[in-house]
Amino acid sequence: MILHIDMDAFFASVEQRDNPDIAGKPVIISRDHNRSVVAAASYEARKFGIRSAMPVFQAKQKCRDLVIVPGNMKKYQAESRTIMAVLTGFSPIVEPVSIDEAYMDISGCGRLFGPPEQIAAAIKEKIYSRVRLTSSIGIAPLKFLAKIASDMNKPNGLTIIPQSRVMDMIRDLPIEKVPGVGRQAMKQIGLFRIETLGDVRK
């Protein structure tokens, strides 16, 4: 089985953890300049429709009480190294995707750490004990389904797609949920009236 570990609103969560005054508030990571764009947004900010890559002036329009933090990449990189070290303590096969997410192959790890759900729960607990940040984990036989699963119950989620459900997931999965399928690809796919991954399989 494959695990996809994704930290929850990583940059913003680090800042909220380190500054109790902004905990629970709508936070974005960016320079406070109208020409800047949002590098990351807390879940509180996302409720206003604020997202990464959005111009800061638009984010301000959506939320009057928005907290803007310039960010500290060195700090985020240090936290990332700690998190990745936790992962390698459970499996030798860890594939970092970015500073705040990674895939893990846990084949053969059951004898040491138990079934996949138990391994994922232990990883979440150890990450939180080390850095006081929550993560979401998806478990599936395939990488792209593990990534989809990790996004299903955010934040602080744990979702498993067992082998028995793989074909049903593929059949019904909206094509825009597939990692790597962006807006331009959707325009082309729409010409073929493809709506689900099952349509592609047919």
Side-chain angles (χ1 to χ4, degrees), residues 116-137:
E117 300 98 317
Q118 185 174 322
I119 294 174
I123 289 170
K124 285 167 58 65
E125 182 179 348
K126 190 159 189 179
I127 288 174
Y128 189 81
S129 70
R130 293 289 300 276
V131 296
R132 295 295 171 186
L133 298 170
T134 63
S135 58
S136 293
I137 298 181

Side-chain angles (χ1 to χ4, degrees), residues 25-42:
K25 294 183 179 180
V27 174
I28 64 169
I29 306 301
S30 181
R31 290 186 304 155
D32 190 359
H33 191 287
N34 286 341
R35 292 184 180 180
S36 299
V37 297
V38 177
S42 68

Side-chain angles (χ1 to χ4, degrees), residues 9-146:
F10 183 48
F11 295 176
S13 294
V14 170
E15 298 301 337
Q16 289 176 314
R17 178 200 65 188
D18 293 346
N19 183 355
D21 290 340
I22 63 174
K25 294 183 179 180
V27 174
I28 64 169
I29 306 301
S30 181
R31 290 186 304 155
D32 190 359
H33 191 287
N34 286 341
R35 292 184 180 180
S36 299
V37 297
V38 177
S42 68
Y43 284 98
E44 295 85 359
R46 295 180 194 186
K47 291 178 181 178
F48 291 89
I50 298 169
R51 52 178 173 74
S52 297
M54 175 180 286
V56 169
F57 78 89
Q58 287 185 7
K60 288 180 177 179
Q61 291 172 352
K62 290 179 177 290
C63 178
R64 293 178 56 188
D65 299 322
L66 191 64
V67 178
I68 302 175
V69 180
N72 184 333
M73 188 54 68
K74 288 184 178 180
K75 179 166 65 173
Y76 308 148
Q77 289 170 339
E79 298 289 6
S80 178
R81 287 191 291 270
T82 300
I83 293 163
M84 296 302 169
V86 169
L87 303 185
T88 56
F90 286 87
S91 171
I93 306 175
V94 176
E95 180 186 333
V97 181
S98 66
I99 193 171
D100 65 343
E101 62 177 314
Y103 292 102
M104 287 178 59
D105 186 336
I106 57 170
S107 302
C109 298
R111 292 183 180 180
L112 289 174
F113 303 112
E117 300 98 317
Q118 185 174 322
I119 294 174
I123 289 170
K124 285 167 58 65
E125 182 179 348
K126 190 159 189 179
I127 288 174
Y128 189 81
S129 70
R130 293 289 300 276
V131 296
R132 295 295 171 186
L133 298 170
T134 63
S135 58
S136 293
I137 298 181
I139 310 168
L142 304 171
K143 285 174 67 175
F144 87 98
L145 286 181

